Amino acid sequence: MLTGLVACGGGKEETPSHSLTANLTVVSHGNENGPENILLAVTLNEPNTSGSAIDVELVLADGSSASELDDVLFEQGRVLSIQEGASSGSLSISVVDDALVEDTESLVLTATTQHSAVSQWSNQTVSANIIDNDASQANWNFAFSVSAHPANALMVNAQITADVATQASLTFEADGVAQRIITSNNMAAEHQLTLVGLRAETQYRIKATLTDTDNNSVETAELFITTGALPNNVPNVESLTNTSQSEGGVTFFAVANDTANSMFIGVDEEGVPVWYYHNDASMSGAPTIKSLGDGRLMLVLSREVRIISTTGETLQSYTLPAFHHDVLLLDNGHLLALTNEAQTIDGQLLQGDVIIELDTEGNLVWEWSSFEHLDTARFPGSLSTRELGSGALDWTHSNALFYDAQNHAILLSSRSQSWVVSIDRDSSELNWIMGSSEGAAASFADKFFTLERGSWMASQHAPMITRDGELLIYDNRNEAELDGRTNNSRVVRYLINHDNQSVTQTGEWIAPKYTQSLGDVDELAGGNILYNSGGPGSHNDAHIVEVTAESNSATVWEIRVPGASVYRAERISWNELLSANFNQ
């Protein structure tokens, strides 16, 4: 291994009085035993009488097999000088014993100079070696192979076998694509692993490092494999913005306006597809994919919730009754789901919502009805009086659930009422109502907040509580004071003060379009905000956007999905994506 270089020289170049022939030689090769340094020399056929020092630069040439670190160290200093009156100059490359098992390394070096006194070279390229003195104690055999995934063009199967139990670490990369390293978390004689997060029709270089229980390691030769083409129904994605302020990772979504041909996909930072779900799935009208934070993904399908690994393996499946819009998986394994209910109130058929909780066996263990807890006489706008095919008015049209674990409460987003309500899970009573109180019965007066600054959301989606305890909402603004048709939809953030029953708007981000329906927002792990302007409105392209947490901050990442509706989007880190199968 190299640590540095020592050279001498320098000086102003003068016009030569005659031409010289130079010769590059290796005086001594390197050896980690000692260690012994590499010594290089350039010798002239006669002394330098040009009037200035002759600087010679040494550059790495094709054929070098030195480690990447040694290459970097060599690049830090590579010039030797032949002083006035001298006939040679030397360069010493320091070598240290790095305690790593390595093959003999070769530095193939070519000498160049701009000094006009040197007219030719008798030898201009040499190979300098570094001999390793560390012997591997791994005296076991191993085999490593890779193959295309049989069902997914963006996945590769890797198989590793050894005579002894080992831990496996895989490195894979491609030209223009960041290197990824993944490591198994157990010791085994055989590892069957699936690499995910690959781009289509791209050649990848993959190698494995195996480490046994005595900490002896062996690195395999690099294998090459080219991924296949994407399925025809993967939508086009355009990258609009990608800055260093983005948190990075893989962004998941599905097209909602063509469920017959839709699939869940994930795109990388440049908007390039690197994941898709290859198994059969009956897509719902609001296809949703959620991260469970541990390498598992939850797919909300038609009459089913499916838990999968990021390799596409089904881990659990839950059959559901007819539901709409949203399902949550609780820590105890129970499911919360939104269902519809219709009742006739004062001679008018209304459609409301029921939240149901199902245990792991599918048994109903709790339910909450909007007819028992919300104002059935309130119709704040045209959404709440829209007549459905059944003849019922779309009175609540709830579209999202969020579980507030700290307060053991459930947040419900009612789009037609432009309300977000907090429901006590134990008593089923309302804790509070976020939104305008206009038109509400007097019996609800103590549930509302006073808005100290900002404006209320309207016709919203996807409320969530941030780590700082604020409420983050995707605000479609169909029926807002500042209508989204002329002001565009937005993301809005509120701070709730329960002591004086007030709310302050603390942040607002105007979306790149008006979305009359659909929409999503999430707080990311690092504090940035990811939102999805996915519905039809001012145009029919979906935009998925990342901004920083400062109000009205600039966009740091954005993609566009032309001609598509996207109900929700989800971001997971590369670490989470790659952790899926490394218990094998």
Side-chain angles (χ1 to χ4, degrees):
M1 177 181 176
L2 306 180
T3 58
L5 304 104
V6 179
C8 60
K12 181 180 178 182
E13 185 172 332
E14 300 290 348
T15 303
S17 57
H18 53 280
S19 297
L20 300 172
T21 299
N23 182 54
L24 174 64
T25 60
V26 179
V27 178
S28 61
H29 292 277
N31 194 319
E32 291 189 9
N33 188 26
E36 298 176 3
N37 296 338
I38 296 173
L39 185 62
L40 305 170
V42 173
T43 304
L44 304 176
N45 61 329
E46 56 182 87
N48 173 20
T49 58
S50 66
S52 65
I54 299 174
D55 290 339
V56 177
E57 182 179 18
L58 297 171
V59 296
L60 286 171
D62 292 342
S64 293
S65 62
S67 69
E68 181 178 347
L69 177 59
D70 287 349
D71 287 354
V72 170
L73 290 169
F74 172 74
E75 292 291 342
Q76 292 174 354
R78 57 189 185 187
V79 176
L80 65 81
S81 292
I82 304 174
Q83 300 298 318
E84 169 73 14
S87 58
S88 65
S90 62
L91 179 70
S92 178
I93 304 176
S94 299
V95 173
V96 295
D97 182 2
D98 56 13
L100 297 176
V101 178
E102 302 168 301
D103 293 332
T104 296
E105 300 176 83
S106 294
L107 290 170
V108 179
L109 306 170
T110 297
T112 62
T113 182
Q114 300 299 314
H115 202 294
S116 57
V118 176
S119 60
Q120 61 183 344
W121 290 84
S122 57
N123 185 49
Q124 197 171 2
T125 301
V126 297
S127 179
N129 298 327
I130 304 173
I131 299 173
D132 187 50
N133 68 338
D134 298 296
S136 173
Q137 301 301 312
N139 57 359
W140 32 267
N141 297 316
F142 65 90
F144 173 48
S145 62
V146 296
S147 59
H149 191 284
N152 196 308
L154 305 186
M155 298 182 185
V156 167
N157 290 332
Q159 181 173 12
I160 303 168
T161 58
D163 294 340
V164 299
T166 65
Q167 184 180 52
S169 176
L170 290 182
T171 301
F172 59 101
E173 60 186 329
D175 292 344
V177 180
Q179 182 187 84
R180 310 289 177 195
I181 301 175
I182 45 184
T183 303
S184 64
N185 57 14
N186 70 334
M187 305 291 291
E190 181 175 348
H191 298 276
Q192 301 277 355
L193 307 172
T194 300
L195 301 182
V196 298
L198 309 180
R199 293 182 174 185
E201 299 178 281
T202 301
Q203 185 184 68
Y204 280 86
R205 305 180 293 275
I206 306 172
K207 62 182 178 181
T209 300
L210 308 179
T211 304
D212 65 18
T213 54
D214 294 323
N215 209 34
N216 298 311
S217 295
V218 170
E219 186 176 279
T220 70
E222 203 168 53
L223 301 181
F224 296 82
I225 190 169
T226 299
T227 53
L230 289 170
N232 292 331
N233 52 337
V234 172
N236 293 325
V237 179
E238 300 173 1
S239 175
L240 302 183
T241 305
N242 181 23
T243 74
S244 60
Q245 290 180 281
S246 169
E247 293 188 23
V250 179
T251 304
F252 290 82
F253 64 92
V255 172
N257 55 331
D258 185 14
T259 55
N261 297 303
S262 180
M263 62 167 48
F264 294 105
I265 73 164
V267 300
D268 64 16
E269 293 85 350
E270 296 177 13
V272 178
V274 292
W275 190 93
Y276 64 85
Y277 185 56
H278 54 268
N279 291 323
D280 290 337
S282 179
M283 303 292 272
S284 72
T288 302
I289 182 168
K290 299 182 180 184
S291 168
L292 299 181
D294 56 5
R296 296 181 300 154
L297 300 173
M298 185 175 91
L299 308 182
V300 180
L301 306 172
S302 177
R303 298 291 186 100
E304 180 192 3
V305 165
R306 190 179 300 175
I307 310 300
I308 65 169
S309 71
T310 56
T311 62
E313 176 188 5
T314 298
L315 305 176
Q316 291 171 291
S317 177
Y318 304 88
T319 301
L320 291 174
F323 72 96
H324 65 90
H325 284 91
D326 207 3
V327 181
L328 298 183
L329 178 65
L330 303 178
D331 289 343
N332 62 3
H334 291 193
L335 292 174
L336 287 178
L338 275 172
T339 64
N340 287 322
E341 177 185 19
Q343 290 189 21
T344 298
I345 306 294
D346 296 331
Q348 175 64 58
L349 185 63
L350 305 181
Q351 180 165 288
D353 298 288
V354 176
I355 305 172
I356 61 172
E357 181 178 345
L358 304 177
D359 66 15
T360 55
E361 302 300 320
N363 300 308
L364 179 67
V365 297
W366 180 83
E367 65 179 347
W368 180 95
S369 171
S370 58
F371 285 101
E372 297 174 8
H373 298 279
L374 298 182
D375 187 350
T376 55
R378 184 177 188 263
F379 300 92
S382 61
L383 289 176
S384 60
T385 57
R386 183 172 66 101
E387 186 172 309
L388 302 172
S390 63
L393 302 185
D394 199 8
W395 165 58
T396 54
H397 195 106
S398 297
N399 55 26
L401 298 167
F402 181 86
Y403 183 65
D404 176 5
Q406 182 176 353
N407 296 300
H408 199 37
I410 299 164
L411 299 189
L412 172 70
S413 168
S414 172
R415 172 171 161 83
S416 291
Q417 293 292 316
S418 293
W419 283 352
V420 173
V421 301
S422 172
I423 304 162
D424 185 273
R425 169 60 184 80
D426 296 324
S427 68
S428 296
E429 296 301 321
L430 293 180
N431 292 318
W432 46 258
I433 301 174
M434 170 80 73
S436 172
S437 61
E438 183 178 354
S443 59
F444 292 90
D446 64 337
K447 302 300 181 183
F448 289 97
F449 297 100
T450 299
L451 183 63
E452 300 285 354
R453 184 178 69 240
S455 59
W456 287 123
M457 73 288 177
S459 323
Q460 74 289 326
H461 285 78
M464 70 163 295
I465 297 176
T466 70
R467 284 183 292 276
D468 292 334
E470 296 182 289
L471 192 63
L472 195 62
I473 298 171
Y474 186 84
D475 184 8
N476 297 77
R477 301 211 284 193
N478 299 55
E479 299 175 351
E481 180 181 353
L482 297 175
D483 196 307
R485 292 171 180 82
T486 54
N487 295 278
N488 279 4
S489 301
R490 64 173 180 168
V491 171
V492 61
R493 186 177 62 206
Y494 299 106
L495 176 64
I496 301 175
N497 186 330
H498 292 283
D499 292 334
N500 63 7
Q501 201 74 359
S502 68
V503 163
T504 302
Q505 180 179 309
T506 62
E508 177 184 72
W509 297 263
I510 305 302
K513 61 176 288 191
Y514 164 61
T515 49
Q516 66 186 32
S517 60
L518 313 184
D520 187 25
V521 63
D522 292 308
E523 182 186 42
L524 300 180
N528 282 3
I529 294 168
L530 182 76
Y531 69 86
N532 164 47
S533 295
S538 50
H539 58 74
N540 291 326
D541 298 343
H543 287 250
I544 302 175
V545 181
E546 181 183 352
V547 294
T548 60
E550 295 77 26
S551 179
N552 205 27
S553 60
T555 295
V556 299
W557 184 88
E558 182 178 0
I559 59 171
R560 177 171 56 213
V561 189
S565 292
V566 173
Y567 181 54
R568 288 186 170 178
E570 188 85 349
R571 172 77 62 78
I572 73 170
S573 69
W574 279 100
N575 284 341
E576 184 179 341
L577 179 75
L578 299 174
S579 69
N581 62 10
F582 277 76
N583 59 353
Q584 303 180 43

